[in-house]
């Protein structure tokens, strides 16, 4: 339990750094944060680090939201992370729901597709696009977000990631 508390503290610190200074995401990625995250994601599928999973998802989201696609092209660990996350979801037989973790996953998967437009995260994006369930879920969330119009922007401004 003490080790998990330490992991959560470090993940929170990294998330805060990425949200305060968006260029930090490029530096973190160039210095191997992808490999560290991959090791953590691999641990989630085999161990009891479940309570730090949402914190890790927030870190991944913040990094993807601000990192330049070119930086991700040079790091194969990011593709491996997303393929592992997709496998983790399917192993848990978890439907992506409207809870915080589910919405964070949809955001992450959407950012993967966004970066694949620039040639990064191509393998991960193929895995998403070939999964009709995920494509349907992403479309549903995007449709709901678009229907909220300007209120979505106002809501985002009031969040930690906004």
């Amino acid at each position: 339990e003490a080790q998990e508390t330490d992991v959560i503290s470090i993940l929170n610190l990294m998330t805060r750094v990425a949200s305060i200074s968006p260029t930090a995401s490029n530096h973190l990625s160039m210095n191997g944060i992808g490999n560290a995250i991959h090791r953590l994601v691999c641990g989630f599928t085999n161990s009891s680090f479940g309570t730090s999973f949402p914190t890790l998802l927030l870190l991944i989201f913040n990094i993807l939201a601000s990192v330049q696609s070119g930086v991700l092209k040079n790091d194969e660990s990011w593709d491996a992370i997303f393929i592992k996350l997709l496998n983790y979801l399917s192993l848990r037989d978890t439907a992506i729901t409207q809870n915080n973790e589910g919405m964070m996953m949809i955001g992450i998967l959407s950012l993967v597709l966004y970066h694949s437009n620039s040639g990064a995260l191509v393998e991960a994006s193929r895995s998403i696009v070939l999964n009709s369930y995920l494509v349907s879920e992403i479309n549903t969330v995007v449709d709901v977000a678009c229907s909220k119009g300007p209120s979505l922007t106002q809501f985002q401004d009031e969040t930690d990631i906004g």
Side-chain angles (χ1 to χ4, degrees), residues 81-157:
I81 289 166
F82 301 115
I83 290 170
K84 203 66 158 155
L85 282 174
L86 292 173
N87 289 337
Y88 179 66
L89 284 175
S90 66
L91 285 175
R92 287 178 50 196
D93 197 28
T94 302
I96 297 179
T97 60
Q98 297 290 327
N99 66 19
N100 191 36
E101 183 177 315
M103 297 307 285
M104 191 64 62
M105 278 301 301
I106 291 291
I108 288 169
L109 297 176
S110 297
L111 286 167
V112 168
L113 294 174
Y114 168 79
H115 285 293
S116 71
N117 207 23
S118 300
L121 307 174
V122 174
E123 288 302 314
S125 66
R126 280 189 196 133
S127 296
I128 295 167
V129 171
L130 295 175
N131 185 322
S132 59
Y133 171 73
L134 288 175
V135 170
S136 173
E137 288 295 311
I138 291 170
N139 282 334
T140 300
V141 170
V142 169
D143 286 344
V144 169
C146 289
S147 71
K148 292 184 178 181
S151 66
L152 180 65
T153 304
Q154 292 166 354
F155 175 76
Q156 181 183 5
D157 291 342

Side-chain angles (χ1 to χ4, degrees), residues 25-97:
S25 295
N26 291 332
H27 296 288
L28 289 169
S29 294
M30 288 187 286
N31 288 297
I33 191 73
N35 288 323
I37 290 173
H38 184 254
R39 283 193 298 272
L40 282 173
V41 171
C42 288
F44 287 129
T45 60
N46 301 317
S47 73
S48 62
F49 275 80
T51 58
S52 57
F53 186 66
T55 308
L56 180 62
L57 290 179
L58 185 58
L59 174 61
I60 292 170
F61 181 86
N62 274 298
I63 289 173
L64 285 182
S66 57
V67 72
Q68 294 176 350
S69 297
V71 174
L72 296 174
K73 285 183 189 179
N74 300 324
D75 189 351
E76 293 177 8
S77 63
W78 284 102
D79 270 316
I81 289 166
F82 301 115
I83 290 170
K84 203 66 158 155
L85 282 174
L86 292 173
N87 289 337
Y88 179 66
L89 284 175
S90 66
L91 285 175
R92 287 178 50 196
D93 197 28
T94 302
I96 297 179
T97 60

